Amino acid sequence: MIDHLNDPQRAAVTIDSGHALVLAGAGSGKTRVLTTRIAWLIQNGLTSPFGILAVTFTNKASKEMQVRVASLLPIDTRNMWVGTFHGLCHRLLRAHFRDASLPQGFQILDTADQLSLVKRLLKANQIDDEKFTPRDVQRFINSAKEEGLRSHAVDASDPHQRRMVEIYALYEAQCQRDGVVDFAELLLRVLELLERHEPIRAHYQRRFRHILVDEFQDTNALQYRWLKLLSGGGANIFAVGDDDQSIYAFRGADVGNMADFERDYARGAVIRLEQNYRSQGHILDAANHLIAHNSHRLGKNLWTDQGEGELIRAVELPSDGAESQWLVDEIKALVGDGISRLDIAILYRSNAQSRVIEHALFSAGIPYRVYGGLRFFERQEIKHALAYLRLVMNRDDDTSFNRVVNFPARGIGARTIESLVDQARTYNTTFSQSVARVAGKGGSSLAQFSLLIETMAQETRMLTLSEAVEHIIEASGLLNHYRGEKEGAERIENLGELVNAATVFETEHDLSGLPSGEPAKTLIELMPDDSVEELGLNLPIAQTPLSAFLAYAALESGDNQAQAGQDAVQMMTVHAAKGLEFDAVFITGLEDGLFPHENSIIDPSGLEEERRLMYVAITRARKRLYMTMAQSRMLHGQTRYAVRSRFLDEVPENHLKWLTVRGVSNDVSTQSYARAFGAVGVNNSRSSQYGGTALSKGPSSGLQIGSQLFRVGQGVRHARFGEGTIIGLSGSGLDAQAQIHFADVGSKTLALGIAKLDIMT
DNA sequence: GACGTTGTCCTTTTT
DNA sequence: GGACAACGTC
């Protein structure tokens, strides 16, 4: 099992006791080490399968871990505690719902549900949603929870913050009334459950002897506390991660956890996996040199024995359209050379960039597949159907109530809803509980809706899960509604897919023939050991099939890849590419302001995260890597001009080959732009015409207004705003605008024809 | 209450 | 450019 590992890998797998931190570079066999370690621990009798807790961030990663462990050992991994933070917490909360102060039928809010709850909350409490935008409130609540803070524990310094905290408190109360938990709440609840209930805490602390954590660099403060608490009974934590691939700080991940963990736990037990089995020499060296520009690294240097390989190809194109066209031509050539389209990836910083590229690929007839975007369980018609099912489970789920109370339309308008909101607020009840009071005042369609839900609940209780789903799609009127809609056919198809998904779920969990509304023995969420007795729980806590299915829908929003499997070029954001690898990779849009993104350029830590993102992008490539940039690009409906990304300059020139593109200087958009508005591209001679190898300085462009030439990155002075830096240029002529970050007043967009700016030298 | 028109806002994403 | 929300009209 461990014979074919390299030395550091074997050292990590067989480390005997105590905590350990494994710094696993890109392509260094991270998952292999994790899974082999689990198998090794069990095989050598160091723990039983029940003594292991393995945590990941994504369902995909946890599934892969289960499959790979199962391939190493003849055990049923389904019973092991291998899962995502959220999935495992959900399991704990189902088992201990009473001690966690939750109703048995509690439901999980996804991000969209959460936002709609916040909106309703703001409206019901007449809070100015200009000063407190729903997005901001949502972010505030989530980041507080990710730090492990309840509303009463948040430090509010100014009045605005104090109001935020009040809203947070209202939100907490509303969730509790509704019997719903958001994603962060799953973790926070479990943390509190373990903190407050000694016997439960002791039980799990005793049980888990080895806790293994994947992608440790992505943990937030809450997850770190969670791990600390669970390991409090002497368990060993085996944390695997790569600080250079930490790209989720924006959602609360704290790389600092790695350094903290090393200091507090893994003293001395740090293992570096530095041999890369993925990329060839030039690619790997480029990545190493780039990331060396970051400070605050734990430090490591990847190497390969695969030889230098090819130089990285860099290309500068006049426009985003030209960039896409160039991609098309190059991909045609690659495919002509026999490279499979599945092994080609086009990466970009932000989703907005994909459209132009898609358009070009589509016109050229090149099959492609875009990752990201709407997932199955997030589709409107699916969410509607799920909302009915959730109401069957839990009448108090106001979010679901609100979603479908008048969908399909049944004559319940804004006035009725308003009085419902009124009543609910006055009496501190949920919508469902307030129906009688409002209905008494003439809202009979509302009473009918309530009756509909009750009837559905009764009718579906004894049906199997898939039958129940099918029945509800019909009885809710959803099916009829979409039949009458022009674009309804696809939605009806998707609703059919939902029934399908329920059938698959039944099979996978041995639920065929079982009633959807009765607890099913196959869904007992506790391990088959002494826990029931030890925890003083008299009954095995089983879920109903419906409840389990709804949790599955919320926690695994499902594949968004309808066309999976066919031979298509892979398109995705750099974030989405983490963990994947391809023979040929195109990193596109390498322009300052786009990659690195303008929102991150000003702040040094933001820039470092962008650099790590670039590092992730580079290390996706096995054999061939392209870096492309466009001098002009349509962004937010305006043409913007940018200079090439500083990251291109951070790649040593001996790893780069600048490609000459024929016809660049004749590009229509550049020419007409230059003619019409007198802006000049500076240094517009292409260095690569001299032979095509290793040239460091490409051209850059700017905006000429009068006698002044403005460029991104330039320092400027404004009479009122003071000194600042240009972080973006857009438009042209009279519409020319500059986004400027001022040291004192923050970012402003100024019209270059009007604002008086001095260029600082 | 359903539909058309204008106004605002734009990273990255998993659970 | 485009998604989505808010407003106005029938």
Side-chain angles (χ1 to χ4, degrees):
Chain A
M1 183 188 293
I2 56 173
D3 297 340
H4 38 262
L5 299 176
N6 66 34
D7 288 347
Q9 286 177 339
R10 191 176 316 113
V13 165
T14 60
I15 201 163
D16 49 359
S17 66
H19 307 290
L21 177 63
V22 179
L23 291 178
S28 66
K30 172 189 69 132
T31 311
R32 182 179 211 178
V33 164
L34 265 173
T35 51
T36 315
R37 165 109 180 135
I38 294 175
W40 184 85
L41 285 168
I42 296 172
Q43 197 176 49
N44 288 281
L46 293 165
T47 183
S48 82
F50 302 140
I52 287 187
L53 178 70
V55 207
T56 63
F57 279 86
T58 66
N59 292 301
K60 199 176 152 203
S62 91
K63 253 174 234 152
E64 188 183 353
M65 209 186 278
Q66 291 200 354
V67 169
R68 285 174 71 164
V69 170
S71 76
L72 293 167
L73 283 180
I75 55 169
D76 186 1
T77 49
R78 268 198 308 183
N79 283 330
M80 286 178 66
W81 284 64
V82 176
T84 63
F85 277 102
H86 296 85
L88 295 168
C89 284
H90 173 249
R91 197 160 161 174
L92 285 163
L93 290 179
R94 284 287 166 208
H96 305 288
F97 68 93
R98 270 192 210 97
D99 288 320
S101 315
L102 287 170
Q104 187 160 15
F106 75 86
Q107 297 294 312
I108 301 167
L109 291 185
D110 69 15
T111 313
D113 296 333
Q114 185 187 34
L115 191 63
S116 96
L117 194 152
V118 167
K119 282 178 187 164
R120 259 184 299 120
L121 200 67
L122 294 178
K123 200 165 276 173
N125 291 281
Q126 283 131 22
I127 293 162
D128 180 358
D129 61 2
E130 305 249 303
K131 273 170 81 179
F132 300 90
T133 68
R135 294 303 296 263
D136 281 350
V137 171
Q138 187 180 30
R139 206 168 327 153
F140 181 88
I141 292 171
N142 286 338
S143 42
K145 287 192 180 187
E146 277 155 12
E147 307 238 335
L149 299 174
R150 288 281 173 211
S151 59
H152 59 79
V154 178
D155 249 348
S157 41
D158 55 289
H160 187 262
Q161 283 229 321
R162 271 196 289 280
R163 189 80 178 117
M164 275 289 194
V165 172
E166 286 170 26
I167 299 170
Y168 180 13
L170 288 171
Y171 172 85
E172 283 175 317
Q174 180 77 47
C175 287
Q176 191 61 36
R177 254 199 307 279
D178 290 5
V180 294
V181 293
D182 58 46
F183 288 131
E185 183 74 25
L186 288 166
L187 303 206
L188 189 49
R189 270 298 156 122
V190 167
L191 199 69
E192 290 170 350
L193 171 77
L194 296 174
E195 276 169 351
R196 288 171 194 171
H197 298 272
E198 214 291 310
I200 297 176
R201 177 174 72 242
H203 168 78
Y204 289 105
Q205 284 183 341
R206 208 172 312 133
R207 156 189 260 158
F208 298 126
R209 304 321 301 156
H210 290 272
I211 300 177
L212 300 94
V213 195
D214 190 20
E215 305 276 17
F216 191 69
Q217 77 281 354
D218 289 339
T219 50
N220 60 34
L222 182 56
Q223 287 153 343
Y224 192 53
R225 262 177 74 190
W226 192 89
L227 290 166
K228 268 171 130 169
L229 187 60
L230 268 176
S231 64
N236 302 306
I237 300 184
F238 186 84
V240 179
D242 181 0
D243 54 323
D244 291 332
Q245 292 190 66
S246 159
I247 54 174
Y248 286 111
F250 70 90
R251 68 176 196 218
D254 181 3
V255 216
N257 286 342
M258 291 191 88
D260 287 355
F261 181 73
E262 181 182 358
R263 196 189 55 228
D264 300 341
Y265 290 86
R267 281 175 297 270
V270 178
I271 294 171
R272 288 180 162 74
L273 305 182
E274 297 179 299
Q275 181 173 3
N276 173 294
Y277 295 95
R278 182 186 295 153
S279 310
Q280 294 180 337
H282 282 302
I283 296 171
L284 209 52
D285 281 351
N288 280 333
H289 276 104
L290 176 103
I291 201 66
H293 285 87
N294 272 5
S295 48
H296 311 302
R297 296 177 60 213
L298 295 176
K300 81 186 140 16
N301 223 15
L302 294 183
W303 58 276
T304 177
D305 58 11
Q306 291 188 52
E308 284 198 322
E310 300 179 354
L311 287 169
I312 297 167
R313 292 154 160 84
V315 197
E316 178 157 356
L317 294 136
S319 66
D320 47 356
E323 183 189 40
S324 303
Q325 194 48 53
W326 185 85
L327 288 173
V328 163
D329 294 342
E330 195 63 25
I331 286 170
K332 276 185 180 160
L334 286 175
V335 173
D337 288 345
I339 296 186
S340 156
R341 279 184 284 263
L342 279 169
D343 284 324
I344 302 173
I346 302 174
L347 307 184
Y348 33 83
R349 175 65 181 82
S350 62
N351 282 309
Q353 288 165 254
S354 75
R355 195 177 302 117
V356 193
I357 302 172
E358 270 190 80
H359 179 74
L361 290 171
F362 186 82
S363 311
I366 299 174
Y368 62 89
R369 175 172 157 202
V370 184
Y371 284 73
L374 206 57
R375 286 197 293 266
F376 181 71
F377 289 114
E378 288 167 357
R379 289 167 190 283
Q380 184 207 101
E381 62 275 19
I382 301 300
K383 291 222 85 167
H384 283 140
L386 290 174
Y388 281 103
L389 291 165
R390 287 166 68 134
L391 285 173
V392 163
M393 276 295 303
N394 173 12
R395 307 291 184 283
D396 294 326
D397 182 345
D398 280 3
T399 305
S400 297
F401 188 103
N402 188 57
R403 172 178 275 276
V404 292
V405 64
N406 194 36
F407 193 96
R410 45 176 74 87
I412 299 172
R415 287 188 321 277
T416 317
I417 300 295
E418 221 166 88
S419 53
L420 192 63
V421 170
D422 244 30
Q423 292 296 314
R425 201 172 42 126
T426 314
Y427 295 95
N428 239 331
T429 52
T430 62
F431 288 162
S432 172
Q433 293 161 2
S434 313
V435 164
R437 266 190 298 272
V438 175
K441 293 191 279 183
S444 69
S445 34
L446 205 52
Q448 260 171 28
F449 174 71
S450 263
L451 187 64
L452 175 70
I453 300 296
E454 286 304 330
T455 316
M456 280 179 170
Q458 278 167 29
E459 286 169 346
T460 56
R461 189 175 175 83
M462 299 314 287
L463 298 178
T464 69
L465 177 61
S466 54
E467 289 166 353
V469 173
E470 196 166 13
H471 176 77
I472 276 182
I473 290 171
E474 168 76 52
S476 61
L478 283 176
L479 198 58
N480 264 334
H481 173 87
Y482 287 124
R483 277 205 188 109
E485 226 180 36
K486 282 160 275 144
E487 317 277 311
E490 196 188 332
R491 298 200 192 274
I492 289 173
E493 216 170 282
N494 286 329
L495 288 170
E497 270 307 303
L498 183 66
V499 179
N500 227 4
T503 313
V504 171
F505 190 84
E506 272 175 12
T507 319
E508 276 179 357
H509 297 268
D510 301 322
L511 299 170
S512 3
L514 297 179
S516 66
E518 306 275 334
K521 284 205 181 63
T522 49
L523 292 172
I524 292 174
E525 289 291 336
L526 290 180
M527 299 298 291
D529 64 358
D530 60 348
S531 41
V532 172
E533 197 186 328
E534 186 179 314
L535 298 175
L537 303 166
N538 312 322
L539 292 168
I541 316 260
Q543 284 191 71
T544 65
L546 180 54
S547 154
F549 181 66
L550 288 174
Y552 160 79
L555 288 174
E556 304 193 29
S557 31
D559 251 309
N560 42 7
Q561 284 89 53
Q563 341 89 304
Q566 61 169 313
D567 185 27
V569 172
Q570 313 283 299
M571 293 177 58
M572 65 194 84
T573 63
V574 181
H575 282 92
K578 194 170 120 186
L580 306 175
E581 55 180 87
F582 309 90
D583 280 342
V585 169
F586 294 84
I587 307 174
T588 64
L590 280 168
E591 296 128 47
D592 250 39
L594 191 63
F595 196 1
H597 198 275
E598 61 190 21
N599 295 0
S600 308
I601 267 178
I602 297 110
D603 155 46
S605 72
L607 189 61
E608 294 215 343
E609 176 142 325
E610 296 283 319
R611 193 176 281 112
R612 290 192 293 270
L613 201 50
M614 182 67 182
Y615 177 79
V616 168
I618 295 175
T619 52
R620 295 312 96 195
R622 285 194 281 251
K623 297 175 187 152
R624 187 177 283 196
L625 178 62
Y626 297 88
M627 298 182 178
T628 69
M629 75 149 292
Q631 292 161 347
S632 70
R633 182 178 296 279
M634 267 301 244
L635 214 61
H636 309 324
Q638 284 183 309
T639 308
R640 314 220 325 184
Y641 300 86
V643 294
R644 74 185 210 203
S645 171
R646 60 195 74 191
F647 295 155
L648 264 167
D649 295 323
E650 292 176 4
V651 173
E653 46 188 88
N654 57 321
H655 297 306
L656 276 183
K657 173 163 80 177
W658 281 91
L659 302 182
T660 314
V661 180
R662 272 195 310 134
V664 160
S665 51
N666 293 328
D667 182 84
V668 182
S669 63
T670 315
Q671 284 236 322
S672 62
Y673 160 69
R675 253 201 316 276
F677 302 110
V680 287
V682 180
N683 186 16
N684 213 3
S685 64
R686 294 201 56 87
S687 28
S688 50
Q689 25 183 270
Y690 300 113
T693 45
L695 289 153
S696 63
K697 296 284 168 267
S700 52
S701 54
L703 262 184
Q704 176 108 27
I705 304 295
S707 61
Q708 287 179 305
L709 176 67
F710 295 98
R711 298 169 61 177
V712 174
Q714 209 166 38
V716 290
R717 190 179 291 108
H718 184 270
R720 210 169 81 223
F721 301 138
E723 293 182 0
T725 309
I726 298 182
I727 57 174
L729 291 168
S730 61
S732 49
L734 293 176
D735 294 331
Q737 294 182 329
Q739 282 172 290
I740 303 170
H741 181 78
F742 290 100
D744 301 333
V745 295
S747 293
K748 301 256 177 224
T749 301
L750 302 179
L752 286 172
I754 299 165
K756 285 213 174 62
L757 289 168
D758 292 326
I759 295 170
M760 301 194 300
T761 41

